Amino acid sequence: MKKYNILIFLFSLLYSQNTISDNIVSFIDSLNNKTMVLSIDSSEHETKLSILDDKIYFDTFSANNDIVTIEGNEIKTYDFDSQVIIIESADETFLDLFYKQGLLKYKITNTDIKDSLSLVTYSLDSRVLLIQFDNTLKQISSIEIQDEDISLLNAKVIDVINFDMPFLANDFASWQTLDWRD
């Protein structure tokens, strides 16, 4: 009977881990045409991460007057202080996990469940991803991305709203463009 109980216990651990991981993937997949309002590193500034189809918008305008767009391997930084658009290329960025199926590249290394919150640790090469998931609300409540023990992003999710990126209406024709692509 003890062996049977141990098997049930192990199965329940594996099943809950898969369910939490599936819920996280589903939440990220549901972000298309949505904006996550973030608080980064306990900053008072509002940061927005928006996703529209295959394009990611990372709006740190309130902190540093920049908005970054990522589409495929092209990164554009809109510097509103200098009125410059900087275009770069990258094989990957730390925000690629928000593309459909992007999180599936990561391997789950740990799951810790406490009350209604789960903390799931993922890894990909030197990158570590810590996602706190609210099991009741079925959404990510915080996310931290580290690369070689350096924090690239540490954010709490304040809200998820409809797509909100008003800068798209701007006319950038008079801005200087610096193309640093390979």
Side-chain angles (χ1 to χ4, degrees), residues 21-179:
S21 176
D22 292 344
N23 287 340
I24 291 171
V25 169
S26 292
F27 174 75
I28 290 173
D29 285 348
S30 75
L31 290 175
N32 187 40
N33 205 22
K34 299 235 172 77
T35 295
M36 284 195 312
V37 180
L38 306 172
S39 170
I40 295 184
D41 295 324
S42 302
S43 171
E44 295 176 14
H45 301 287
E46 186 177 276
T47 300
K48 295 179 181 178
L49 178 76
S50 303
I51 300 170
L52 184 60
D53 300 325
D54 291 330
K55 200 167 195 175
I56 296 173
Y57 300 84
F58 193 57
D59 176 355
T60 59
F61 188 84
S62 65
N64 63 8
N65 292 333
D66 287 351
I67 296 177
V68 176
T69 65
I70 303 167
E71 186 171 20
N73 67 348
E74 184 179 271
I75 302 168
K76 287 184 181 178
T77 302
Y78 296 82
D79 180 341
F80 284 81
D81 285 336
S82 303
Q83 294 191 343
V84 172
I85 302 170
I86 302 168
I87 305 172
E88 302 173 85
S89 59
D91 291 335
E92 63 179 33
T93 72
F94 67 89
L95 294 175
D96 286 352
L97 71 103
F98 290 103
Y99 284 126
K100 286 197 177 287
Q101 308 300 315
L103 185 61
L104 298 179
K105 295 177 188 174
Y106 286 78
K107 177 184 172 194
I108 295 176
T109 57
N110 189 37
T111 301
D112 186 18
I113 304 169
K114 291 186 181 169
D115 300 322
S116 67
L117 296 176
S118 297
L119 181 62
V120 182
T121 306
Y122 296 85
S123 65
L124 176 66
D125 302 326
S126 63
R127 197 171 298 153
V128 175
L129 172 61
L130 301 162
I131 294 180
Q132 185 175 48
F133 188 79
D134 187 315
N135 299 313
T136 305
L137 297 174
K138 299 286 188 223
Q139 75 175 32
I140 293 174
S141 56
S142 70
I143 186 166
E144 182 175 2
I145 303 170
Q146 302 172 354
D147 195 352
E148 295 183 5
D149 296 326
I150 296 171
S151 183
L152 303 176
L153 176 71
N154 189 358
K156 291 191 185 315
V157 177
I158 297 170
D159 200 2
V160 177
I161 59 176
N162 286 329
F163 184 78
D164 180 33
M165 197 52 51
F167 104 102
L168 294 174
N170 287 5
D171 179 13
F172 299 104
S174 65
W175 285 32
Q176 180 183 6
T177 300
L178 301 176
D179 193 338

